[in-house]
Amino acid sequence: MSNVIEQALQARLVASAPQLETVPATLRYDGEDPFAVRMAFPPTATLEGTEVSWAFSRELLTVGMDEPAGLGDVRVRPFGYDRTVLEFHAPEGVAMVHVRTSEVRHFLDRSLGVVPVGREHLHLDLDHDLAELLRDAC
């Protein structure tokens, strides 16, 4: 069984214009990085014309579906019925997208099949990670 979960979804980009634009996005979870979730946007959905990927904690996404969560570059909060808002803060500005909460819950349920909450530490290779950090520091 693969330890990587990917789920395509449609995100509605919130802009100053009254119309919401739908853009494709992909949620990704890798059991080798058990605390993190990634959300990627293809080049056609970004101002730079290159793929943009944001990494944030699985816990942030889980909590943010039910109550506002996050103080840093990524913030998540519920919005109306079956919507979750993700805010991505960068020096260039803030991007906000709405996604269906049901799709996010489905993704997170699948991620729990790879690494259950509370078992993440069993999937870390701290010796390898420390060796990489020390190698990069030299």
Side-chain angles (χ1 to χ4, degrees):
M1 182 172 104
S2 173
N3 64 347
V4 176
I5 302 290
E6 285 192 346
Q7 181 170 322
L9 49 85
Q10 292 296 310
R12 297 182 76 188
L13 182 61
V14 179
S16 57
Q19 185 175 4
L20 296 177
E21 179 183 343
T22 301
V23 296
T26 303
L27 283 171
R28 186 174 202 275
Y29 179 78
D30 185 342
E32 291 186 13
D33 191 5
F35 290 102
V37 167
R38 286 176 171 65
M39 188 168 197
F41 298 91
T44 56
T46 68
L47 294 174
E48 298 84 17
T50 59
E51 180 175 286
V52 173
S53 181
W54 288 80
F56 47 96
S57 78
R58 177 169 69 168
E59 180 181 15
L60 175 69
L61 187 58
T62 301
V63 171
M65 289 187 302
D66 297 316
E67 63 187 62
L71 300 171
D73 294 342
V74 179
R75 301 171 191 177
V76 184
R77 62 183 162 81
F79 182 80
Y81 176 75
D82 197 38
R83 290 282 179 196
T84 299
V85 174
L86 291 96
E87 296 180 17
F88 302 101
H89 295 251
E92 300 81 16
V94 177
M96 283 193 336
V97 297
H98 290 191
V99 294
R100 285 193 173 93
T101 303
S102 58
E103 291 179 347
V104 176
R105 283 193 201 285
H106 178 71
F107 169 78
L108 289 170
D109 287 346
R110 291 174 57 214
S111 78
L112 295 176
V114 175
V115 179
V117 171
R119 311 279 295 173
E120 294 93 347
H121 66 285
L122 299 174
H123 295 265
L124 295 174
D125 186 351
L126 295 178
D127 290 334
H128 175 266
D129 293 343
L130 182 58
E132 287 292 314
L133 283 173
L134 293 174
R135 182 183 58 80
D136 291 344
C138 296

